[in-house]
Each structure stands twice: as structure tokens, then as C-alpha cells.
Amino acid sequence: MWQVATATGWTIDYILHKVNYQTLIMMLSDAPRYIEKRASKPEAGSSAEDEANEIAGFFRSNLLQ
């Protein structure tokens, strides 16, 4: 949430109450990220939804630390 608030200038209250979940997931899936060279080929059978879930899980795990 911090990253979205920083990138957009939105308040936490606005993000929690005015932005729908699907929009946030799309924003996370469009976020730049580091991909290792050996993992640069997309996995067979991985979908955009799987990738968005992986990204969302990464942000959730970092928020809990």
C-alpha cells in the first residue's frame, strides 16, 4: 500500500475506501520488478493472474516484516 500511495499521491484512506481491488492488482502487475536472467523465460502455463498473485504475495510478505 505504501508503494501505491507513494507512486500516486493517494492517501491510505482513499486507497482503502475508494479504489477497487481489481485496479490495485492491475497496478501491482504493471509495477517494474527485477527478473533474474535464468528465469527470464515465462513458465509454461503461468497466467497473468498467477503473476499478479505472486506480486501481491511479495508485497504482503514484505509488509509483515
Side-chain angles (χ1 to χ4, degrees):
M1 201 173 314
W2 173 82
Q3 183 179 9
V4 173
T6 301
T8 61
W10 296 341
T11 64
I12 300 298
D13 185 57
Y14 182 79
I15 293 169
L16 289 174
H17 301 289
K18 303 290 183 181
V19 181
N20 64 17
Y21 182 73
Q22 292 81 6
T23 301
L24 292 173
I25 292 299
M26 291 301 292
M27 291 173 76
L28 287 173
S29 67
D30 287 341
R33 61 191 184 281
Y34 176 78
I35 299 175
E36 293 182 27
K37 222 175 198 180
R38 68 175 189 258
S40 62
K41 293 182 182 179
E43 294 179 21
S46 86
S47 68
E49 184 179 355
D50 293 337
E51 191 172 320
N53 288 333
E54 180 182 333
I55 293 168
F58 171 78
F59 284 110
R60 276 189 220 107
S61 67
N62 284 341
L63 289 174
L64 296 175
Q65 292 180 2

